[in-house]
Amino acid sequence: MLRNKEIQFFLLALVAIMLLATIATFFLLSGLAATMVFLTSVLLIGCSLFFTKWRYREIEKLSGYLRKISSGDYSLDVRDNYEGELSILKSDIYKVTLMLSEHHSLLQQDKVKLTNAISDISHQLKTPLTSMMVMADLLGDTKLEEAKREEFTNNIRVQLERIEWLVSSLLKLSKIDAGTVPFKRDPILLSDLLEQAIQPVLVPMDIKQQTLNVTGEKEVSFIGDFNWTTEAIINILKNCVEHTQEGGEISISFTENALFTELIISDNGKGIPKEDLPYIFKRFYRGKNAGEDSVGIGLAMAHSIIKSQHGDIEVKSEIGKGTTFIIKFYKQVI
């Protein structure tokens, strides 16, 4: 402590004041009074040094705590619940420690998510890549018939389109999860949005001879992002078309009240097993009734898009009777 310059200056000032006071008392009063002033000054200087040493020791302890925290030890609790600046400083350090601990936990969770996502993506890409490699080897046979060559080439094209769709969808989903997608807040008429979302599913519905019923007032609207919400609805409609038998029916209705705008999409398809319902919006989840080409991305993306716009989505389903998706866009988020 005595090596610190500020302590040396402080001690020098106290000694100078003590000597001046003692000398002045000796000449102005008496030798006995000067001795009393000298002894009193020595006691005061001793008390000041003792108190200063105690404060420096506390600061040194806090410094040690900070070094442990910086090395990743977030289990320390330096609070002493007393009055004073040092106690306030200890409480503030404890708050920062809790904040760093939470950030550390979030980083660990992000690492686990990233690892799982890479593992899932690798798994999803492995099948089409293996298939393309096999067909590429077969195409290398000069004696291969022209019809087979055309079939393998077409299969490779289909697998490449599947990989492109998969990578594009995962990229969008990752951006949404990372919060880097700037969702617009525009007034949107649901009738206009549905007109756009229905177009991509008209052909598969026509092939399966399914019927579509849309009911709702033209003025029903909500605040959101037109393009992203359209993509969410397309994914839900694709799911309905995929899981509804030939000649089935898909219904869409929308209403609006003072609290929210509600959109209900339902089908009379084969339904979702009860045990699959809690995981239906989970990424890469494939339920018991999932199609062979199903990856488990569409509903996960729809869920992320709607949730990112302060909306809510729930699903109700009964085996053999169909599935209903209920989407709500709230007018005000509290």
Side-chain angles (χ1 to χ4, degrees):
M1 182 185 75
L2 294 177
R3 291 176 298 181
N4 296 334
K5 285 187 177 179
E6 61 269 27
I7 298 299
Q8 292 174 358
F9 179 78
F10 176 66
L11 187 59
L12 185 64
L14 289 178
V15 171
I17 292 171
M18 178 189 70
L19 292 175
L20 286 174
T22 303
I23 293 170
T25 305
F26 178 80
F27 286 108
L28 293 176
L29 296 175
S30 65
L32 181 60
T35 302
M36 291 298 295
V37 169
F38 178 79
L39 293 174
T40 303
S41 299
V42 169
L43 287 174
L44 288 174
I45 292 172
C47 289
S48 297
L49 289 176
F50 177 79
F51 182 69
T52 304
K53 185 178 181 180
W54 174 81
R55 289 178 67 88
Y56 269 74
R57 190 175 295 168
E58 290 296 311
I59 292 171
E60 188 178 353
K61 285 181 182 177
L62 292 178
S63 179
Y65 288 139
L66 289 174
R67 282 195 294 272
K68 289 182 179 178
I69 291 168
S70 63
S71 64
D73 185 358
Y74 303 117
S75 61
L76 299 172
D77 187 353
V78 297
R79 296 172 298 171
D80 58 13
N81 299 320
Y82 292 123
E83 296 288 340
E85 289 78 6
L86 270 175
S87 293
I88 293 172
L89 179 61
K90 289 176 181 177
S91 296
D92 289 341
I93 289 174
Y94 181 69
K95 291 175 185 175
V96 173
T97 305
L98 287 181
M99 187 176 66
L100 290 173
S101 177
E102 290 175 0
H103 285 176
H104 180 73
S105 298
L106 291 175
L107 285 174
Q108 291 298 322
Q109 291 175 10
D110 288 343
K111 285 182 181 179
V112 172
K113 285 182 181 177
L114 180 62
T115 304
N116 292 336
I118 292 173
S119 174
D120 290 336
I121 292 168
S122 301
H123 178 73
Q124 296 298 332
L125 292 177
K126 188 177 179 180
T127 303
L129 285 173
T130 304
S131 175
M132 284 194 298
M133 289 176 67
V134 172
M135 285 183 281
D137 288 339
L138 293 173
L139 284 172
D141 186 358
T142 55
K143 297 179 182 177
L144 187 68
E145 296 177 2
E146 189 59 31
K148 282 290 181 184
R149 188 180 299 280
E150 188 176 343
E151 178 188 344
F152 291 157
T153 305
N154 185 57
N155 284 339
I156 290 177
R157 187 181 300 112
V158 170
Q159 295 297 340
L160 283 172
E161 289 174 353
R162 178 180 167 85
I163 291 174
E164 183 185 17
W165 173 84
L166 182 60
V167 172
S168 172
S169 298
L170 287 171
L171 183 61
K172 291 176 184 175
L173 197 53
S174 299
K175 286 182 177 178
I176 295 170
D177 290 347
T180 57
V181 174
F183 286 99
K184 295 178 181 176
R185 300 283 294 163
D186 298 328
I188 298 171
L189 288 174
L190 260 177
S191 55
D192 292 344
L193 184 140
L194 289 173
E195 185 179 351
Q196 185 82 12
I198 289 169
Q199 293 302 319
V201 297
L202 286 179
V203 173
M205 286 186 70
D206 187 48
I207 293 172
K208 298 181 78 171
Q209 298 181 334
Q210 296 170 340
T211 56
L212 176 66
N213 295 317
V214 182
T215 56
E217 299 292 332
K218 189 174 177 59
E219 298 77 24
V220 174
S221 65
F222 71 100
I223 301 297
D225 189 295
F226 186 90
N227 292 327
W228 279 105
T229 310
T230 300
E231 179 138 4
I233 303 304
I234 289 173
N235 281 302
I236 294 172
L237 286 173
K238 282 182 177 176
N239 186 276
C240 291
V241 172
E242 181 183 342
H243 292 89
T244 302
Q245 68 281 3
E246 289 188 6
E249 181 179 325
I250 295 173
S251 302
I252 303 175
S253 63
F254 48 92
T255 55
E256 181 179 8
N257 58 37
L259 297 177
F260 54 79
T261 299
E262 185 177 62
L263 172 63
I264 299 176
I265 303 173
S266 59
D267 63 59
N268 61 349
K270 49 191 174 185
I272 303 171
K274 190 176 180 181
E275 57 269 27
D276 288 337
L277 284 176
Y279 312 103
I280 199 69
F281 297 118
K282 190 176 179 182
R283 195 180 310 182
F284 297 119
Y285 183 78
R286 297 179 75 253
K288 291 180 179 177
N289 292 335
E292 293 182 0
D293 295 335
S294 175
V295 179
I297 287 291
L299 289 182
M301 184 182 296
H303 180 265
S304 294
I305 291 171
I306 292 167
K307 284 287 186 179
S308 297
Q309 298 183 88
H310 310 301
D312 191 24
I313 178 171
E314 62 175 311
V315 58
K316 296 178 180 177
S317 188
E318 191 172 345
I319 291 295
K321 293 187 177 180
T323 303
T324 299
F325 293 91
I326 303 168
I327 303 161
K328 292 178 181 175
F329 292 103
Y330 292 94
K331 296 183 181 297
Q332 190 171 5
V333 180
I334 299 175

